[in-house]
Amino acid sequence: MEKYFNQIKNSPIFYGINNEELINLLKCFKAKIKSFSKGDLIIRQGENITKLYLILEGNVNIEKDTYLANRIIISKLTINDNIALSYIASKTKEADIDAYATDDVKVLVLNYEKCTSMCQNACTKHKILINNLFKIIAKENIGLIEKIENISQKSIKDKLLTYLSNEARKNKSNRFSIIFNRQELADYLNIDRSAMCFELSKLKKAGLIDYEKNKFVLSSKINY
């Protein structure tokens, strides 16, 4: 725990809480660190979720299978992101997604009920913590709205340009890196990988974009 203390302190969930207060909260929540190897399922569909997971190392894909068993990537999570928080907060708890470790992952595991209710020790920072959780859920919802915008475009070209424009806007630059490899991007946008790569090549030849692996540059002709 000591190795990750500063990182935990600076994570969105514990923003505004000092060292001493954080130490007491982690004890109160009986926090522990859990490790997962690449390929492990951290959360699987149908599982009853009662814990809050804060990513300390590695990357996690939130995925869902269609009725035809095609994989869709809902989102890609990384350091300081929380896994499946919306399910716990909604009291639904039973997951209809898989959380899949795309490399070796370490997470901080917390008891959600203890995070959101005042304990016998009357921790003074519970109010700050709960407010932080609401902000995180709001950010997750904004991300889902953005995804809906990306995948609701009719053509592969429009899906790609909408996604890349949104990424440029978030990075406040026409030069940026994306978090997905090609297969993950296809799964995220729910399109065929070969068709997507063909469209990327056409956009590059047209001078609308340039790219090398996951690094992209948008032409000045594209608004973002």
Side-chain angles (χ1 to χ4, degrees), residues 1-15 17 22-23 25-36 42-43 49-58 60 78-85 88 105-112 115 129 133:
M1 192 75 70
E2 184 178 350
K3 175 183 176 181
Y4 298 100
F5 186 82
N6 286 333
Q7 180 182 331
I8 293 169
K9 178 188 173 185
N10 292 321
S11 67
I13 191 172
F14 292 113
Y15 179 79
I17 296 174
L22 178 56
I23 290 171
L25 282 175
L26 293 176
K27 288 179 180 178
C28 176
F29 301 158
K30 297 180 180 178
K32 61 181 180 180
I33 293 175
K34 192 170 182 179
S35 298
F36 297 89
I42 301 171
I43 293 172
I49 306 174
T50 59
K51 305 294 183 184
L52 193 155
Y53 300 88
L54 173 68
I55 301 174
L56 301 176
E57 285 184 16
V60 175
T78 189
I79 293 172
N80 283 344
D81 285 333
N82 296 276
I83 304 173
L85 175 58
I88 313 173
V105 170
K106 282 186 169 55
V107 295
L108 179 72
V109 182
L110 304 168
N111 184 299
Y112 180 76
C115 289
L129 180 64
L133 289 171

Side-chain angles (χ1 to χ4, degrees), residues 12 75 77-82 85-86 131-147 170:
S75 60
L77 306 179
T78 189
I79 293 172
N80 283 344
D81 285 333
N82 296 276
L85 175 58
S86 295
N131 187 51
N132 289 344
L133 289 171
F134 275 118
K135 289 179 180 178
I136 293 167
I137 292 172
K139 182 181 177 182
E140 288 182 1
N141 287 336
I142 290 170
L144 289 175
I145 291 170
E146 183 179 293
K147 174 164 185 176
K170 284 190 288 187

Side-chain angles (χ1 to χ4, degrees), residues 76 160 163-168 170-171 175-186 188-189 196 200 211-217:
K76 190 178 187 74
L160 285 167
Y163 168 74
L164 294 172
S165 296
N166 283 332
E167 291 301 300
K170 284 190 288 187
N171 286 275
R175 295 176 178 270
F176 54 91
S177 296
I178 66 172
I179 58 177
F180 298 121
N181 61 35
R182 291 293 185 270
Q183 185 59 60
E184 289 174 333
L185 181 57
Y188 174 78
L189 294 175
M196 181 194 73
L200 283 171
Y211 58 83
E212 182 179 356
K213 295 184 178 180
N214 69 330
K215 295 180 180 179
F216 283 80
V217 181

Side-chain angles (χ1 to χ4, degrees), residues 160-169 173-176 203 207-211 215-224:
L160 285 167
L161 289 179
T162 301
Y163 168 74
L164 294 172
S165 296
N166 283 332
E167 291 301 300
R169 186 177 67 253
S173 172
N174 70 327
R175 295 176 178 270
F176 54 91
L203 291 170
L208 293 176
I209 66 172
D210 195 10
Y211 58 83
K215 295 180 180 179
F216 283 80
V217 181
L218 289 191
S219 165
S220 58
K221 299 176 185 177
I222 299 176
N223 295 322
Y224 65 89

Side-chain angles (χ1 to χ4, degrees), residues 188-203:
Y188 174 78
L189 294 175
N190 197 23
I191 53 182
D192 178 76
R193 182 181 184 277
S194 297
M196 181 194 73
C197 290
F198 178 70
E199 194 62 52
L200 283 171
S201 180
K202 285 175 61 178
L203 291 170

